[in-house]
Amino acid sequence: SSTGELEADIIKDSKGDVRSIPAVSASNPYTLVASDAGKAVSTNGFTITIPNNVFSTGDAVTLVNNSSSDTTLTRAIGALYLGSDGTNSASLTLKARTTATIYFTAGTVGYISGGGLS
């Protein structure tokens, strides 16, 4: 009988080691692209735009503000709901040295939560 166990040293998929979150460095300004799904997009205070109809249901992107200044997140997606209170704003601020993750329920709808969002 099978115990359902599998032992392996390395587990990879098309994005690399599944225990690692690949990093992307954002330029100024930066618009997220489909290949950012499953990755951490790092910015040094540059504006990041969340585009409409680029991501699929179940995609997630983590944003890292690797700067001592705030970053503006511009919403081009149909709806981007803030996890703390459900508001849908045209833009948000990601405070210095904080992170946020966007989970997409559709190409036009995302939910964002993390420290330092306003």
Side-chain angles (χ1 to χ4, degrees):
S1 92
S2 174
T3 62
E5 293 181 24
L6 173 65
E7 192 171 319
D9 291 332
I10 299 172
I11 301 172
K12 292 183 177 184
D13 66 8
S14 62
K15 294 180 183 171
D17 185 344
V18 297
R19 291 184 182 91
S20 176
I21 300 172
V24 175
S25 293
S27 58
N28 182 24
Y30 187 78
T31 298
L32 296 175
V33 295
S35 62
D36 291 331
K39 297 179 182 175
V41 176
S42 180
T43 181
N44 285 323
F46 303 134
T47 297
I48 295 178
T49 299
I50 297 99
N52 202 34
N53 284 318
V54 169
F55 295 97
S56 299
T57 300
D59 283 347
V61 177
T62 296
L63 306 176
V64 179
N65 185 0
N66 188 29
S67 172
S68 59
S69 61
D70 295 348
T71 293
T72 299
L73 305 178
T74 302
R75 187 199 83 192
I77 191 170
L80 183 63
Y81 297 109
L82 184 58
S84 62
D85 64 9
T87 58
N88 182 23
S89 301
S91 71
L92 294 168
T93 299
L94 182 60
K95 298 292 183 185
R97 308 279 185 219
T98 62
T99 64
T101 298
I102 306 168
Y103 178 79
F104 296 89
T105 58
T108 59
V109 180
Y111 290 79
I112 187 167
S113 63
L117 279 172
S118 60

